[in-house]
Amino acid sequence: KGFPDTKPNYHFLRVDPFEPNRVWVQMRVRATNTGECMGPPTNKALEFPPESYSLVFDEAGKVKKFTFGFVMDRLIGNTGGLGGAFGYLYGIDRPIPAPEGQPHQQSWQLQFLNLIAKFQVEQAKKSD
């Protein structure tokens, strides 16, 4: 109800070359919040990052596993790099109150390691 114009934009459907019983598909969702969703409509147009989905089939051709919502590039779109329900809610400024409902943030430890790496690259340039 909250996003009646949702377009999943499925593309790049393919059989996994390493698991022939698995099919992968990508999607890039676009939607506008013109209906109620945890409050009144915001009329915000959302563009999600590309996501990957897969279906694994058994010998009878029935789906035995369905994976979904794996964001492939969190820097694309306006949902804070979040896909699925978290992306919808974050995109309309109503995120869930949990770390998973917020954009990814690097830990201080990773930031520190990146700083050391940057320093080493700069030192190597100076010595050349």
Side-chain angles (χ1 to χ4, degrees):
K1 287 185 173 185
F3 301 84
D5 69 341
T6 297
K7 291 182 180 58
N9 298 310
Y10 297 109
H11 62 282
F12 201 36
L13 179 69
R14 64 214 177 271
V15 174
D16 188 313
F18 304 102
E19 285 182 75
N21 63 327
R22 177 176 285 213
V23 175
W24 291 94
V25 64
Q26 288 174 214
M27 62 189 288
R28 290 191 62 178
V29 175
R30 292 180 187 266
T32 309
N33 179 220
T34 56
E36 259 191 53
C37 180
M38 308 281 288
T42 62
N43 294 312
K44 288 188 176 185
L46 303 182
E47 180 183 337
F48 286 72
E51 297 177 55
S52 183
Y53 285 50
S54 79
L55 295 121
V56 178
F57 298 91
D58 65 16
E59 294 76 26
K62 294 183 179 179
V63 175
K64 70 177 187 179
K65 183 178 180 183
F66 177 53
T67 64
F68 58 93
F70 291 97
V71 171
M72 299 171 68
D73 185 345
R74 64 184 171 80
L75 302 178
I76 294 175
N78 62 357
T79 63
L82 301 170
F86 295 148
Y88 283 102
L89 295 173
Y90 183 85
I92 60 170
D93 299 320
R94 296 178 185 138
I96 66 164
E100 294 80 6
Q102 305 296 320
H104 171 76
Q105 293 183 9
Q106 289 184 348
S107 65
W108 68 266
Q109 296 93 332
L110 184 57
Q111 290 177 24
F112 181 68
L113 290 173
N114 285 337
L115 185 64
I116 291 171
K118 185 177 179 182
F119 177 75
Q120 289 176 329
V121 167
E122 293 300 319
Q123 293 303 311
K125 285 181 184 177
K126 288 180 183 178
S127 67
D128 286 343

mmCIF file of all heavy atoms in Angstrom, residues 62-93:
data_model
loop_
_atom_site.group_PDB
_atom_site.id
_atom_site.type_symbol
_atom_site.label_atom_id
_atom_site.label_comp_id
_atom_site.label_asym_id
_atom_site.label_seq_id
_atom_site.Cartn_x
_atom_site.Cartn_y
_atom_site.Cartn_z
ATOM 1 N N LYS A 62 11.344 -28.061 -7.706
ATOM 2 C CA LYS A 62 10.716 -27.199 -6.708
ATOM 3 C C LYS A 62 11.779 -26.363 -6.001
ATOM 4 O O LYS A 62 12.899 -26.818 -5.782
ATOM 5 C CB LYS A 62 9.950 -28.036 -5.677
ATOM 6 C CG LYS A 62 8.761 -28.757 -6.279
ATOM 7 C CD LYS A 62 7.998 -29.509 -5.226
ATOM 8 C CE LYS A 62 6.795 -30.194 -5.869
ATOM 9 N NZ LYS A 62 6.043 -30.950 -4.888
ATOM 10 N N VAL A 63 11.397 -25.150 -5.639
ATOM 11 C CA VAL A 63 12.337 -24.267 -4.943
ATOM 12 C C VAL A 63 12.582 -24.811 -3.538
ATOM 13 O O VAL A 63 11.647 -25.052 -2.779
ATOM 14 C CB VAL A 63 11.791 -22.822 -4.860
ATOM 15 C CG1 VAL A 63 12.705 -21.946 -4.025
ATOM 16 C CG2 VAL A 63 11.613 -22.240 -6.254
ATOM 17 N N LYS A 64 13.848 -25.047 -3.218
ATOM 18 C CA LYS A 64 14.174 -25.510 -1.865
ATOM 19 C C LYS A 64 14.905 -24.433 -1.063
ATOM 20 O O LYS A 64 15.031 -24.552 0.150
ATOM 21 C CB LYS A 64 14.970 -26.805 -1.900
ATOM 22 C CG LYS A 64 16.383 -26.708 -2.416
ATOM 23 C CD LYS A 64 17.076 -28.062 -2.317
ATOM 24 C CE LYS A 64 18.540 -27.968 -2.677
ATOM 25 N NZ LYS A 64 19.220 -29.250 -2.554
ATOM 26 N N LYS A 65 15.364 -23.371 -1.742
ATOM 27 C CA LYS A 65 16.039 -22.285 -1.041
ATOM 28 C C LYS A 65 15.848 -20.995 -1.844
ATOM 29 O O LYS A 65 15.961 -21.003 -3.064
ATOM 30 C CB LYS A 65 17.527 -22.598 -0.903
ATOM 31 C CG LYS A 65 18.322 -21.574 -0.137
ATOM 32 C CD LYS A 65 19.766 -22.039 -0.032
ATOM 33 C CE LYS A 65 20.625 -21.057 0.722
ATOM 34 N NZ LYS A 65 22.033 -21.499 0.744
ATOM 35 N N PHE A 66 15.556 -19.926 -1.135
ATOM 36 C CA PHE A 66 15.376 -18.620 -1.766
ATOM 37 C C PHE A 66 16.175 -17.602 -0.962
ATOM 38 O O PHE A 66 15.933 -17.431 0.234
ATOM 39 C CB PHE A 66 13.884 -18.251 -1.793
ATOM 40 C CG PHE A 66 13.584 -16.894 -2.347
ATOM 41 C CD1 PHE A 66 14.052 -16.502 -3.585
ATOM 42 C CD2 PHE A 66 12.817 -16.000 -1.624
ATOM 43 C CE1 PHE A 66 13.769 -15.249 -4.100
ATOM 44 C CE2 PHE A 66 12.514 -14.746 -2.126
ATOM 45 C CZ PHE A 66 12.999 -14.367 -3.369
ATOM 46 N N THR A 67 17.167 -16.995 -1.592
ATOM 47 C CA THR A 67 17.935 -15.945 -0.918
ATOM 48 C C THR A 67 17.576 -14.619 -1.561
ATOM 49 O O THR A 67 17.319 -14.553 -2.767
ATOM 50 C CB THR A 67 19.455 -16.183 -1.027
ATOM 51 O OG1 THR A 67 19.856 -16.116 -2.395
ATOM 52 C CG2 THR A 67 19.839 -17.525 -0.439
ATOM 53 N N PHE A 68 17.575 -13.557 -0.771
ATOM 54 C CA PHE A 68 17.154 -12.278 -1.336
ATOM 55 C C PHE A 68 17.752 -11.116 -0.565
ATOM 56 O O PHE A 68 18.157 -11.247 0.594
ATOM 57 C CB PHE A 68 15.629 -12.159 -1.329
ATOM 58 C CG PHE A 68 15.011 -12.290 0.026
ATOM 59 C CD1 PHE A 68 14.757 -11.174 0.797
ATOM 60 C CD2 PHE A 68 14.708 -13.544 0.548
ATOM 61 C CE1 PHE A 68 14.191 -11.290 2.052
ATOM 62 C CE2 PHE A 68 14.140 -13.674 1.801
ATOM 63 C CZ PHE A 68 13.884 -12.534 2.559
ATOM 64 N N GLY A 69 17.792 -9.967 -1.258
ATOM 65 C CA GLY A 69 18.150 -8.721 -0.606
ATOM 66 C C GLY A 69 19.625 -8.500 -0.346
ATOM 67 O O GLY A 69 19.981 -7.697 0.506
ATOM 68 N N PHE A 70 20.508 -9.191 -1.069
ATOM 69 C CA PHE A 70 21.931 -8.968 -0.869
ATOM 70 C C PHE A 70 22.362 -7.761 -1.685
ATOM 71 O O PHE A 70 22.426 -7.809 -2.911
ATOM 72 C CB PHE A 70 22.744 -10.212 -1.260
ATOM 73 C CG PHE A 70 22.521 -11.361 -0.320
ATOM 74 C CD1 PHE A 70 21.618 -12.357 -0.638
ATOM 75 C CD2 PHE A 70 23.190 -11.419 0.890
ATOM 76 C CE1 PHE A 70 21.390 -13.410 0.233
ATOM 77 C CE2 PHE A 70 22.964 -12.469 1.771
ATOM 78 C CZ PHE A 70 22.072 -13.467 1.437
ATOM 79 N N VAL A 71 22.655 -6.663 -1.010
ATOM 80 C CA VAL A 71 23.052 -5.426 -1.683
ATOM 81 C C VAL A 71 24.418 -5.622 -2.320
ATOM 82 O O VAL A 71 25.352 -6.133 -1.698
ATOM 83 C CB VAL A 71 23.069 -4.250 -0.685
ATOM 84 C CG1 VAL A 71 23.689 -3.019 -1.303
ATOM 85 C CG2 VAL A 71 21.654 -3.958 -0.207
ATOM 86 N N MET A 72 24.526 -5.191 -3.578
ATOM 87 C CA MET A 72 25.763 -5.374 -4.328
ATOM 88 C C MET A 72 26.649 -4.127 -4.342
ATOM 89 O O MET A 72 27.853 -4.240 -4.512
ATOM 90 C CB MET A 72 25.427 -5.802 -5.755
ATOM 91 C CG MET A 72 24.661 -7.112 -5.786
ATOM 92 S SD MET A 72 24.024 -7.525 -7.398
ATOM 93 C CE MET A 72 25.518 -7.845 -8.286
ATOM 94 N N ASP A 73 26.077 -2.953 -4.200
ATOM 95 C CA ASP A 73 26.852 -1.711 -4.149
ATOM 96 C C ASP A 73 26.078 -0.707 -3.314
ATOM 97 O O ASP A 73 25.168 -0.052 -3.797
ATOM 98 C CB ASP A 73 27.110 -1.166 -5.554
ATOM 99 C CG ASP A 73 28.016 0.060 -5.558
ATOM 100 O OD1 ASP A 73 28.225 0.657 -4.478
ATOM 101 O OD2 ASP A 73 28.506 0.433 -6.635
ATOM 102 N N ARG A 74 26.433 -0.590 -2.055
ATOM 103 C CA ARG A 74 25.684 0.239 -1.120
ATOM 104 C C ARG A 74 25.802 1.730 -1.388
ATOM 105 O O ARG A 74 25.103 2.535 -0.777
ATOM 106 C CB ARG A 74 26.085 -0.080 0.314
ATOM 107 C CG ARG A 74 27.524 0.229 0.632
ATOM 108 C CD ARG A 74 27.874 -0.210 2.052
ATOM 109 N NE ARG A 74 29.291 -0.112 2.289
ATOM 110 C CZ ARG A 74 29.933 1.007 2.583
ATOM 111 N NH1 ARG A 74 29.276 2.133 2.692
ATOM 112 N NH2 ARG A 74 31.229 0.998 2.781
ATOM 113 N N LEU A 75 26.686 2.124 -2.317
ATOM 114 C CA LEU A 75 26.869 3.545 -2.608
ATOM 115 C C LEU A 75 25.887 4.064 -3.649
ATOM 116 O O LEU A 75 25.830 5.259 -3.916
ATOM 117 C CB LEU A 75 28.306 3.800 -3.075
ATOM 118 C CG LEU A 75 29.392 3.381 -2.074
ATOM 119 C CD1 LEU A 75 30.769 3.631 -2.657
ATOM 120 C CD2 LEU A 75 29.214 4.102 -0.751
ATOM 121 N N ILE A 76 25.109 3.165 -4.241
ATOM 122 C CA ILE A 76 24.125 3.550 -5.257
ATOM 123 C C ILE A 76 22.765 3.752 -4.592
ATOM 124 O O ILE A 76 22.389 3.013 -3.684
ATOM 125 C CB ILE A 76 24.038 2.472 -6.361
ATOM 126 C CG1 ILE A 76 25.351 2.402 -7.120
ATOM 127 C CG2 ILE A 76 22.875 2.725 -7.300
ATOM 128 C CD1 ILE A 76 25.415 1.284 -8.155
ATOM 129 N N GLY A 77 22.018 4.735 -5.072
ATOM 130 C CA GLY A 77 20.653 4.950 -4.598
ATOM 131 C C GLY A 77 20.565 5.935 -3.446
ATOM 132 O O GLY A 77 21.553 6.561 -3.055
ATOM 133 N N ASN A 78 19.367 6.038 -2.897
ATOM 134 C CA ASN A 78 19.119 6.999 -1.810
ATOM 135 C C ASN A 78 18.478 6.342 -0.580
ATOM 136 O O ASN A 78 17.722 6.973 0.141
ATOM 137 C CB ASN A 78 18.268 8.166 -2.308
ATOM 138 C CG ASN A 78 16.893 7.748 -2.785
ATOM 139 O OD1 ASN A 78 16.559 6.568 -2.809
ATOM 140 N ND2 ASN A 78 16.086 8.718 -3.171
ATOM 141 N N THR A 79 18.788 5.063 -0.378
ATOM 142 C CA THR A 79 18.233 4.350 0.785
ATOM 143 C C THR A 79 19.330 4.016 1.799
ATOM 144 O O THR A 79 19.185 3.079 2.576
ATOM 145 C CB THR A 79 17.511 3.058 0.347
ATOM 146 O OG1 THR A 79 18.461 2.180 -0.258
ATOM 147 C CG2 THR A 79 16.362 3.363 -0.601
ATOM 148 N N GLY A 80 20.403 4.774 1.778
ATOM 149 C CA GLY A 80 21.484 4.547 2.735
ATOM 150 C C GLY A 80 22.220 3.250 2.494
ATOM 151 O O GLY A 80 22.850 2.719 3.398
ATOM 152 N N GLY A 81 22.138 2.729 1.283
ATOM 153 C CA GLY A 81 22.796 1.458 0.978
ATOM 154 C C GLY A 81 22.033 0.253 1.473
ATOM 155 O O GLY A 81 22.528 -0.866 1.421
ATOM 156 N N LEU A 82 20.820 0.468 1.933
ATOM 157 C CA LEU A 82 20.002 -0.620 2.471
ATOM 158 C C LEU A 82 19.025 -1.123 1.425
ATOM 159 O O LEU A 82 18.481 -0.350 0.640
ATOM 160 C CB LEU A 82 19.223 -0.136 3.697
ATOM 161 C CG LEU A 82 20.068 0.392 4.855
ATOM 162 C CD1 LEU A 82 19.184 1.052 5.900
ATOM 163 C CD2 LEU A 82 20.886 -0.720 5.469
ATOM 164 N N GLY A 83 18.796 -2.424 1.433
ATOM 165 C CA GLY A 83 17.824 -3.028 0.537
ATOM 166 C C GLY A 83 16.634 -3.551 1.319
ATOM 167 O O GLY A 83 16.570 -3.440 2.545
ATOM 168 N N GLY A 84 15.690 -4.123 0.600
ATOM 169 C CA GLY A 84 14.521 -4.727 1.231
ATOM 170 C C GLY A 84 13.735 -3.750 2.093
ATOM 171 O O GLY A 84 13.734 -2.546 1.858
ATOM 172 N N ALA A 85 13.078 -4.284 3.114
ATOM 173 C CA ALA A 85 12.233 -3.466 3.997
ATOM 174 C C ALA A 85 13.026 -2.366 4.682
ATOM 175 O O ALA A 85 12.535 -1.249 4.862
ATOM 176 C CB ALA A 85 11.557 -4.354 5.036
ATOM 177 N N PHE A 86 14.279 -2.655 5.057
ATOM 178 C CA PHE A 86 15.098 -1.640 5.717
ATOM 179 C C PHE A 86 15.304 -0.435 4.804
ATOM 180 O O PHE A 86 15.308 0.711 5.252
ATOM 181 C CB PHE A 86 16.453 -2.207 6.126
ATOM 182 C CG PHE A 86 16.382 -3.289 7.168
ATOM 183 C CD1 PHE A 86 17.315 -4.303 7.181
ATOM 184 C CD2 PHE A 86 15.393 -3.301 8.140
ATOM 185 C CE1 PHE A 86 17.275 -5.303 8.143
ATOM 186 C CE2 PHE A 86 15.336 -4.293 9.105
ATOM 187 C CZ PHE A 86 16.289 -5.296 9.104
ATOM 188 N N GLY A 87 15.488 -0.682 3.495
ATOM 189 C CA GLY A 87 15.674 0.408 2.544
ATOM 190 C C GLY A 87 14.436 1.273 2.402
ATOM 191 O O GLY A 87 14.527 2.506 2.348
ATOM 192 N N TYR A 88 13.277 0.629 2.335
ATOM 193 C CA TYR A 88 12.029 1.399 2.252
ATOM 194 C C TYR A 88 11.884 2.319 3.454
ATOM 195 O O TYR A 88 11.595 3.513 3.321
ATOM 196 C CB TYR A 88 10.811 0.470 2.188
ATOM 197 C CG TYR A 88 10.566 -0.169 0.849
ATOM 198 C CD1 TYR A 88 10.924 -1.486 0.617
ATOM 199 C CD2 TYR A 88 9.958 0.542 -0.170
ATOM 200 C CE1 TYR A 88 10.676 -2.082 -0.610
ATOM 201 C CE2 TYR A 88 9.705 -0.049 -1.410
ATOM 202 C CZ TYR A 88 10.075 -1.356 -1.619
ATOM 203 O OH TYR A 88 9.835 -1.937 -2.840
ATOM 204 N N LEU A 89 12.066 1.766 4.641
ATOM 205 C CA LEU A 89 11.847 2.550 5.863
ATOM 206 C C LEU A 89 12.906 3.634 6.038
ATOM 207 O O LEU A 89 12.588 4.769 6.397
ATOM 208 C CB LEU A 89 11.795 1.624 7.079
ATOM 209 C CG LEU A 89 10.607 0.669 7.084
ATOM 210 C CD1 LEU A 89 10.715 -0.326 8.233
ATOM 211 C CD2 LEU A 89 9.291 1.424 7.142
ATOM 212 N N TYR A 90 14.158 3.321 5.769
ATOM 213 C CA TYR A 90 15.205 4.336 5.880
ATOM 214 C C TYR A 90 14.973 5.446 4.847
ATOM 215 O O TYR A 90 15.148 6.629 5.147
ATOM 216 C CB TYR A 90 16.589 3.706 5.684
ATOM 217 C CG TYR A 90 17.692 4.723 5.865
ATOM 218 C CD1 TYR A 90 18.181 5.020 7.125
ATOM 219 C CD2 TYR A 90 18.220 5.403 4.772
ATOM 220 C CE1 TYR A 90 19.172 5.977 7.311
ATOM 221 C CE2 TYR A 90 19.210 6.355 4.937
ATOM 222 C CZ TYR A 90 19.679 6.628 6.206
ATOM 223 O OH TYR A 90 20.656 7.584 6.376
ATOM 224 N N GLY A 91 14.574 5.041 3.645
ATOM 225 C CA GLY A 91 14.366 6.000 2.564
ATOM 226 C C GLY A 91 13.267 7.012 2.827
ATOM 227 O O GLY A 91 13.279 8.111 2.271
ATOM 228 N N ILE A 92 12.306 6.661 3.676
ATOM 229 C CA ILE A 92 11.220 7.612 4.006
ATOM 230 C C ILE A 92 11.404 8.187 5.415
ATOM 231 O O ILE A 92 10.466 8.690 6.017
ATOM 232 C CB ILE A 92 9.822 6.976 3.841
ATOM 233 C CG1 ILE A 92 9.634 5.758 4.748
ATOM 234 C CG2 ILE A 92 9.563 6.632 2.376
ATOM 235 C CD1 ILE A 92 8.207 5.232 4.803
ATOM 236 N N ASP A 93 12.632 8.111 5.912
ATOM 237 C CA ASP A 93 12.989 8.678 7.220
ATOM 238 C C ASP A 93 12.251 8.045 8.385
ATOM 239 O O ASP A 93 11.911 8.712 9.370
ATOM 240 C CB ASP A 93 12.771 10.204 7.232
ATOM 241 C CG ASP A 93 13.633 10.910 6.207
ATOM 242 O OD1 ASP A 93 14.805 10.508 6.051
ATOM 243 O OD2 ASP A 93 13.138 11.837 5.546
#
